[in-house]
Amino acid sequence: MKHFIVFFIFLSSQATAQGPKLYNRIANDVHLIHSRVLNQDRQVYINVPKLDSADINKALPVLYLLDGENHFHILSAYIEYLRHWQVIPPMIVVGIVNVDRVKDLTPTNSLINFDGNVDSKYKTSGGNEQFLNFIQQELMPYIETNYKTSPFKIFAGHSFGGLTTINCMLMRPDMFDAYIAISPSLWFGNKYVLRLAERKLPKLSMRNKKIFYSVGNEDGAFRDDLLKFDKLFNHDSLKTFVHQYKHYPFEDHMTEPIPAYYDALRFIYKDWKHDTTK
């Protein structure tokens, strides 16, 4: 028995020694930031790639992700895999953890739910402006002070998070360079953000900006509203605004983020080339 144990340990060590070097280093630092804007402590997950020595001083783009507790590790894993194969650049991921999701991710107060009924769980809705102030005035300076960042920033969200990214693009177009809206809840507040887009989008100067928006097989207004949003990009003033709409007929509302976030990253960096000069 003793010899068997020694032999097993030897084989295990040999297998470890001969195996491929792991590149997947997904981990997160958990930071607690006190927000004066929101008058509360906010938790964020931060993933910073481990760079090769030649790239150690490189400034990195930052992706700010809503619903961090749900999607942070999925998106971080995609980024780690794609940047390992030099398809996209390395980047920092900042996952914002929810406290009151309805409040933070809705732009107007409304008690009407998706089915058209009054719903008391929406009583805190309408705090999106203040939440965006927190990101712009407190979270971004915190990240840029503590990490070496480049100017390029991405804002990503799903459902109410997708609604937030579009609202941010319309109201604060210079805050981010690229936007990802997965199944945005454009139905909310009597289609508040969709009506806002109809008024504001054709007038915005969006040169070199990018947006990816998608929908799954959701019933009701989700796809119809997004198709109306997509048609707004036919306006002549938006020809330089790089955009992509994608439909996932075999994914429901909660499974769609898995393929959609991957496709969004490929879309944003479709023209990116790895710098081979060192």
Side-chain angles (χ1 to χ4, degrees):
M1 183 66 181
K2 178 179 178 183
H3 295 295
F4 174 78
I5 293 173
V6 171
F7 181 66
F8 177 78
I9 292 173
F10 173 76
L11 286 180
S12 298
S13 64
Q14 287 293 98
T16 301
Q18 294 172 6
K21 183 180 179 181
L22 291 176
Y23 65 83
N24 189 347
R25 309 181 184 95
I26 301 305
N28 62 285
D29 295 327
V30 181
H31 293 235
L32 194 65
I33 301 172
H34 179 72
S35 170
R36 293 182 179 179
V37 170
L38 300 176
N39 192 30
Q40 62 187 189
D41 292 337
R42 297 303 298 249
Q43 193 176 73
V44 296
Y45 302 153
I46 303 175
N47 181 54
V48 182
K50 293 182 180 178
L51 301 177
D52 297 333
S53 57
D55 296 328
I56 199 69
N57 294 316
K58 180 179 289 186
L60 302 177
V62 184
L63 188 151
Y64 291 85
L65 174 67
L66 301 172
D67 293 319
E69 66 273 24
N70 291 326
H71 299 146
F72 175 83
H73 281 88
I74 294 172
L75 205 49
S76 296
Y78 285 163
I79 290 169
E80 178 61 30
Y81 182 85
L82 290 172
R83 75 98 176 180
H84 174 77
W85 295 108
Q86 300 176 358
V87 176
I88 67 172
M91 71 183 77
I92 297 167
V93 182
V94 179
I96 306 171
V97 177
N98 287 311
V99 173
D100 184 341
R101 186 173 186 270
V102 169
K103 179 181 179 181
D104 289 343
L105 304 186
T106 55
T108 188
N109 182 259
S110 174
L111 295 177
I112 306 302
N113 65 18
F114 180 72
D115 296 319
N117 301 316
V118 174
D119 194 332
S120 61
K121 75 178 183 181
Y122 294 135
K123 64 183 179 181
T124 62
S125 60
N128 197 206
E129 181 72 12
Q130 195 175 25
F131 179 67
L132 292 175
N133 285 339
F134 156 68
I135 295 175
Q136 189 168 34
Q137 298 172 17
E138 296 179 321
L139 181 56
M140 283 181 172
Y142 178 86
I143 298 300
E144 290 163 8
T145 298
N146 289 281
Y147 301 95
K148 193 173 181 62
T149 64
S150 72
F152 194 83
K153 295 185 286 291
I154 304 170
F155 198 23
H158 166 244
S159 196
F160 274 172
L163 184 72
T164 292
T165 62
I166 293 176
N167 185 54
C168 179
M169 180 190 73
L170 296 171
M171 300 303 296
R172 309 180 188 210
D174 294 328
M175 191 167 162
F176 293 94
D177 301 282
Y179 300 84
I180 301 172
I182 310 301
S183 282
S185 300
L186 292 171
W187 59 267
F188 183 81
N190 190 28
K191 306 184 191 300
Y192 175 89
V193 169
L194 181 58
R195 290 184 285 114
L196 185 68
E198 290 170 346
R199 297 196 311 272
K200 294 186 69 72
L201 192 55
K203 301 176 184 178
L204 293 181
S205 176
M206 303 298 286
R207 183 175 295 276
N208 299 323
K209 301 284 186 177
K210 298 179 180 181
I211 182 170
F212 176 96
Y213 44 98
S214 66
V215 70
N217 62 7
E218 295 105 320
D219 294 330
F222 270 98
R223 190 179 182 201
D224 291 343
D225 288 344
L226 202 60
L227 286 173
K228 291 176 183 176
F229 179 75
D230 181 54
K231 286 182 180 179
L232 298 176
F233 289 92
N234 292 331
H235 198 281
D236 289 343
S237 66
L238 297 173
K239 290 189 182 297
T240 60
F241 190 2
V242 184
H243 60 96
Q244 184 178 58
Y245 161 72
K246 197 151 188 181
H247 177 215
Y248 298 90
F250 302 109
E251 305 295 343
D252 63 28
H253 189 67
M254 298 312 298
T255 62
E256 183 201 350
I258 296 174
Y261 274 132
Y262 175 88
D263 288 342
L265 290 169
R266 296 301 310 272
F267 161 72
I268 290 171
Y269 286 104
K270 64 182 179 179
D271 298 320
W272 181 81
K273 300 295 183 184
H274 176 65
D275 183 7
T276 57
T277 61
K278 298 295 183 183

